[in-house]
Amino acid sequence: MKLELGIIPINDIQFGAESKVENGTIYVNADELKALILEDETLKSVELDIARPGESVRIMPVKDVIEPRVKVNGEGAMFPGMISKVAPVGSGRTNVLRGSAVVTTGKIVGFQEGIIDMTGEGSKYTPFSKLNNLVVICEPVDGLAKHAHEKAVRMAGLKAADYIGKLAKDIEAKEVETYETVSVKEGIEKWPNLPRVAYVLMLQSQGLMHDTYVYGVDAKQSLSTIIMPTEIMDGAIVSGNCVSACDKNTTYHHLNNPVIKDLFAQHGKTLNFVGVIITNENVYLADKMRSSDWSAKLCEWLGLDGAIVSQEGFGNPDTDLIMNCKKIEGKGVKTVIITDEYAGRDGASQSLADADAAANAVVTGGNANEVIHLPKMDKVIGYPEVADIIAGGFDGSLQADGSIVAELQVITGATNEMGFNPLSAR
Amino acid sequence: MSKLRVVHYINQFFANIGGEEKADYQPELREGVVGPGMAFNQNFGEEAEIVATVICGDSYFNENVDSATATVLDMIKSQKPDLVICGPAFNAGRYGVACGTVAAAVKKEGIPVITGMYKENPGADMFKKEVYIISTKNSAAGMRDAVSKMAPLALKVAKGEAIGASAEEGYLPNGIRKNFFEKKRGSERAVEMLVKKLNDKEFVTEYEMPSFDRVAPGEAIKDMSKAKIALVTSGGIVPKGNPDHIESSSASKYGQYDIEGVTDLTAETYETAHGGYDPVYANEDADRVLPVDIITEMIKEGKIGSLHKYYYATVGNGTAVANAKRFATEIGQKLVDDHVDAVILTST
């Protein structure tokens, strides 16, 4: 399966009479997009705003971040099974509006939503401070149940990203990146001497605000399976969760999965990147055992020499991570795991809730408990008062002067466990 | 600004007094720089200066630890230093233990101090959690490298500046995790680590697996119909409104709540403060996490003696082990004082 990504650099977003992409700027007819999103009867209101790199703007509570993309040719459309028909994506050509994103916010659903600061201390920790963000502020109708509220906002984000993406269908790409996964047989013939490596991508699936969707299927209702890396680039995996903001994989992270990108960079050179195994992180012990048995079995069956395992979330999923690692190593497949840490505000506590000697190669995205001070911003899009209750916040997090003192946990994407950032800890 | 006053601790070998045959050399205080102190002074530039050097034989120190430490400490304090440097000791075992012992004693006096040694020096494991130990090569050939790392960290410690992560500053990991920005993103580091592992080359994990505590189960209750049972949960069940503001993640506290006479938890009276699981079902009926209703029924049926009037709750979500241990110790003591026979501990 082969996919070309046509990269269209975006330097700005503006509201305008006509929605279009021109000279690196996205123009959005706000009324048109709002009307599209408000077709969902569970939403009471939708507002749009723009947050650019370097502006004194805070967005909170952030639910999801999505990069606008569009299928130019090849089967299917973006986000199959969610907002487009189920069809195998991952081949042909997809245009990418690089440098832009849709960010969803609005009244809080749970505790797990985050903060994006476009400047200052907080902006160093989130990759989304470097993007031109179209912020979609959704408010639910009165009395809407939490599950329906989460779904409405999730779908609104996807629709907005799809709407923006489609504006770039006929735009000429500045550069083209090509990614290809060959069949197992062809790979063995082509690179007989290179170690065979797969990526075991763990998907958060613990329930409300902790779910992930694969071709529209709730990952907690699925067994471990195989997916092509290019399918993920076309939106086959969508985030429905906010775990803790710092280590949730947003839809943006899935579309731009860095492990996939960095394995492709070594593909055919130091290793043979065979493909991606996805597995879930359910709450029941039997599910954890079954799913990790299954991912280890797939690793063995693919004849792998090595695997990178990435986690999502922390605490309870540490068990899934260690089970996966131990069982895959048990099949004679060497692993590196990517996680983050909850070592306490003083950094002195054990970082993970589970451990095993087999996990001897660990990459960490940093200690999410470390306390940071976020200066006041000139403008807040959303609800600053939730600083005291979101995961990582505490009573008094929101200071009288509008600044926030909280754990790094509150920053969307700060300790990402796909290894999206340079942040680490020792 | 005047230069910081530094006292340097070294052994008989680096003082050019002699090798093993002079290892019984007794503590001596000399003015100014001796041996490797020169390199430190050069590195300090205008910021600091070694004003005195304390020399002691390795055998003498280790065979007379208490008295030698006291003597050396007095000599150091007599110079009123702003900073003390011990070693570096490289892979010399007794020298490493002496450097660590002196450094720890100096630190207890509130005087800034660092040392340096090879990671396998026995002194490293003994003292790396107490004082900053710069990781050096295993022989004196690594002196220049050692000094180039020790001098900057020493100045930072002396001036009370923020100390970065071990990987940045070059000290041996001391169990305190600190964030810092690597040059490469995590996924690239993971791929590089895997390629090394696949090729049987040396790689360095970013997090060493800890060894976990194990708790032996208590003795079984022989007659539950007479037992007083308490409920404790890390599932975050609190009276509606979360009166103690227990955090949704990284809890810094727990709550004690009176449930005398309560037979059922309802959506109007209780909720969860926990931010790590789907709260909808716990909010609908908190008995799902804290089973007050079933216990009440079992008491009526005579299966359980009684329910303790208080329950204890915290949020087990990213909660530091140190906090969890503290909560458990305090709650445990209260339950013992109240003559509770057994606890049902529910997690989520």
Side-chain angles (χ1 to χ4, degrees), chain A residues 111-112 124-125 147 195 197 206 208 210 258-259 262-263 266 270 305 308 314 329 334-336 338 341-342 344-356 359-364 366-367 369-370 389-395 407-409 418-426, chain B residues 165-167 171 173 175-191 193-195 197-200 203-213 244-245 247-253 272-281 283 317-323 348:
Chain A
F111 297 110
Q112 300 92 346
K124 295 179 198 164
Y125 292 92
H147 290 108
V197 172
Q206 295 183 322
L208 176 67
H210 293 71
V259 176
D262 290 339
L263 281 172
Q266 289 301 313
T270 60
D305 299 295
I308 290 177
F314 63 93
E329 286 273 348
K334 291 178 176 169
T335 61
V336 170
I338 312 177
E341 304 180 45
Y342 287 74
R345 288 177 195 161
D346 61 1
S349 283
Q350 285 163 2
S351 297
L352 299 181
D354 200 2
D356 191 88
N360 64 359
V362 182
V363 166
T364 170
N367 177 18
N369 292 140
E370 213 168 273
I389 60 162
I390 55 177
F394 38 84
D395 207 19
E407 294 185 9
L408 190 53
Q409 257 193 93
M418 288 173 170
F420 201 86
N421 312 321
L423 188 71
S424 185
R426 291 292 190 286
Chain B
S166 55
Y171 60 86
I176 305 290
R177 305 294 289 176
K178 275 197 85 81
N179 288 341
F180 71 107
F181 289 97
E182 285 270 13
K183 291 189 180 65
K184 292 173 180 170
R185 65 180 178 180
S187 53
E188 194 179 351
R189 304 200 306 274
V191 172
M193 198 184 288
L194 183 63
V195 170
K197 194 171 171 180
L198 286 167
N199 292 302
D200 294 322
F203 61 89
V204 183
T205 184
E206 296 179 3
Y207 175 69
E208 297 250 10
M209 287 289 133
S211 46
F212 274 54
D213 296 344
D244 293 320
H245 303 285
E247 297 87 345
S248 61
S249 182
S250 308
S252 67
K253 51 197 156 188
T272 182
H274 199 294
Y277 65 93
D278 182 344
V280 169
Y281 308 104
N283 287 341
N317 183 31
T319 303
V321 176
N323 278 351
T348 46

Side-chain angles (χ1 to χ4, degrees), chain B residues 6-9 73 76 81-87 98-116 127 130-134 150 153-160 163 171:
Chain B
V6 183
V7 174
H8 191 195
Y9 174 83
L73 191 59
I76 290 172
D82 302 306
L83 168 68
V84 175
I85 297 217
C86 300
C99 284
T101 308
V102 171
V106 167
K107 193 179 172 191
K108 280 205 187 85
E109 298 290 323
I111 303 167
V113 59
I114 73 156
T115 179
F127 294 102
E130 286 186 54
V131 290
Y132 286 116
I133 302 179
I134 285 284
M150 286 173 75
L153 180 64
L155 290 177
K156 276 191 185 178
V157 171
K159 290 190 264 184
I163 307 297
Y171 60 86

Side-chain angles (χ1 to χ4, degrees), chain B residues 232 254 312 321-337:
Chain B
V232 178
Y254 63 90
Y312 295 89
V321 176
N323 278 351
K325 271 190 177 168
R326 177 168 63 81
F327 303 163
T329 308
E330 292 177 16
I331 294 170
Q333 191 57 50
K334 289 179 184 175
L335 294 171
V336 168
D337 293 347

Side-chain angles (χ1 to χ4, degrees), chain B residues 25-251:
Chain B
Y25 196 80
Q26 295 196 18
E28 182 202 345
L29 175 71
R30 279 195 212 169
E31 226 174 88
V33 165
V34 178
M38 298 276 273
F40 279 104
N41 263 356
Q42 280 176 7
N43 226 291
F44 288 144
E46 290 304 304
E47 297 205 63
E49 185 178 22
I50 293 177
V51 293
T53 304
V54 176
I55 302 156
C56 183
D58 289 334
S59 294
Y60 182 84
F61 190 94
N62 281 280
E63 284 161 15
N64 307 280
V65 175
D66 293 340
S67 61
T69 305
T71 309
V72 167
L73 191 59
D74 283 345
M75 289 175 170
I76 290 172
K77 281 165 69 182
S78 73
Q79 299 301 305
K80 301 199 171 16
D82 302 306
L83 168 68
V84 175
I85 297 217
C86 300
F90 304 105
N91 203 20
R94 286 171 305 165
Y95 188 21
V97 173
C99 284
T101 308
V102 171
V106 167
K107 193 179 172 191
K108 280 205 187 85
E109 298 290 323
I111 303 167
V113 59
I114 73 156
T115 179
M117 64 191 81
Y118 183 55
K119 63 184 177 190
E120 287 176 15
N121 190 314
D125 264 352
M126 289 167 69
F127 294 102
K128 67 185 179 188
K129 289 194 172 172
E130 286 186 54
V131 290
Y132 286 116
I133 302 179
I134 285 284
S135 174
T136 71
K137 295 185 175 147
N138 63 1
S139 78
M143 182 64 83
R144 183 198 290 262
D145 177 66
V147 172
S148 73
K149 288 177 187 149
M150 286 173 75
L153 180 64
L155 290 177
K156 276 191 185 178
V157 171
K159 290 190 264 184
E161 291 175 4
I163 307 297
S166 55
E168 289 177 294
E169 306 280 4
Y171 60 86
L172 291 167
N174 57 359
I176 305 290
R177 305 294 289 176
K178 275 197 85 81
N179 288 341
F180 71 107
F181 289 97
E182 285 270 13
K183 291 189 180 65
K184 292 173 180 170
R185 65 180 178 180
S187 53
E188 194 179 351
R189 304 200 306 274
V191 172
E192 285 177 359
M193 198 184 288
L194 183 63
V195 170
K196 282 183 188 163
K197 194 171 171 180
L198 286 167
N199 292 302
D200 294 322
K201 287 190 183 150
E202 200 185 334
F203 61 89
V204 183
T205 184
E206 296 179 3
Y207 175 69
E208 297 250 10
M209 287 289 133
S211 46
F212 274 54
D213 296 344
R214 296 283 165 205
V215 179
E219 280 194 30
I221 302 279
K222 300 232 163 49
D223 184 1
M224 283 293 283
S225 71
K226 299 206 168 51
K228 181 169 160 187
I229 304 296
L231 291 174
V232 178
T233 187
S234 60
I237 301 302
V238 290
K240 190 103 178 171
N242 190 10
D244 293 320
H245 303 285
I246 298 176
E247 297 87 345
S248 61
S249 182
S250 308

Side-chain angles (χ1 to χ4, degrees), chain A residues 129-326:
Chain A
S129 63
K130 287 99 192 162
L131 304 178
N132 292 284
N133 296 311
L134 179 69
V135 187
V136 180
I137 309 137
C138 297
E139 301 305 345
V141 294
D142 297 340
L144 188 66
K146 282 179 186 291
H147 290 108
H149 180 185
E150 184 281 321
K151 184 180 180 189
V153 182
R154 168 163 37 96
M155 299 308 278
L158 295 176
K159 279 184 207 164
D162 185 56
Y163 172 86
I164 304 291
K166 280 176 175 155
L167 304 174
K169 189 167 183 182
D170 300 319
I171 306 272
E172 199 183 333
K174 189 160 180 220
E175 55 178 312
V176 176
E177 299 170 357
T178 305
Y179 300 96
E180 184 175 16
T181 301
V182 298
S183 73
V184 170
K185 179 167 173 276
E186 205 182 332
I188 291 172
E189 287 168 359
K190 223 169 162 178
W191 302 287
N193 300 316
L194 288 181
R196 296 169 55 72
V197 172
Y199 171 31
V200 178
L201 168 58
M202 294 171 56
L203 305 174
Q204 178 58 256
S205 58
Q206 295 183 322
L208 176 67
M209 304 299 282
H210 293 71
D211 285 322
T212 306
Y213 297 85
V214 182
Y215 277 99
V217 175
D218 184 340
K220 68 173 166 288
Q221 291 160 351
S222 168
L223 295 166
S224 304
T225 187
I226 289 171
I227 192 167
M228 293 299 117
T230 52
E231 291 179 276
I232 298 173
M233 296 176 187
D234 271 351
I237 301 180
V238 162
S239 171
N241 75 78
C242 301
V243 198
S244 271
C246 65
D247 53 15
K248 105 187 209 95
N249 293 330
T250 66
T251 300
Y252 187 97
H253 286 111
H254 285 295
L255 291 168
N256 291 285
N257 190 310
V259 176
I260 289 176
K261 205 157 180 190
D262 290 339
L263 281 172
F264 265 127
Q266 289 301 313
H267 182 50
K269 294 175 191 162
T270 60
L271 52 84
N272 171 9
F273 178 26
V274 175
V276 180
I277 296 165
I278 46 175
T279 185
N280 56 17
E281 301 176 356
N282 286 13
V283 289
Y284 292 103
L285 181 61
D287 287 345
K288 291 176 186 298
M289 292 167 73
R290 187 187 306 109
S291 291
S292 55
D293 285 343
W294 215 287
S295 54
K297 186 166 64 184
L298 289 172
C299 286
E300 182 184 32
W301 176 71
L302 284 168
L304 299 182
D305 299 295
I308 290 177
V309 185
S310 73
Q311 187 188 1
E312 184 173 11
F314 63 93
N316 182 303
D318 293 346
T319 322
D320 302 83
L321 176 72
I322 295 298
M323 278 189 196
N324 277 317
C325 174
K326 194 174 162 179

Side-chain angles (χ1 to χ4, degrees), chain A residues 74-88:
Chain A
E75 210 169 341
M78 290 305 294
F79 311 120
M82 298 300 290
I83 55 165
S84 65
K85 274 193 215 168
V86 172

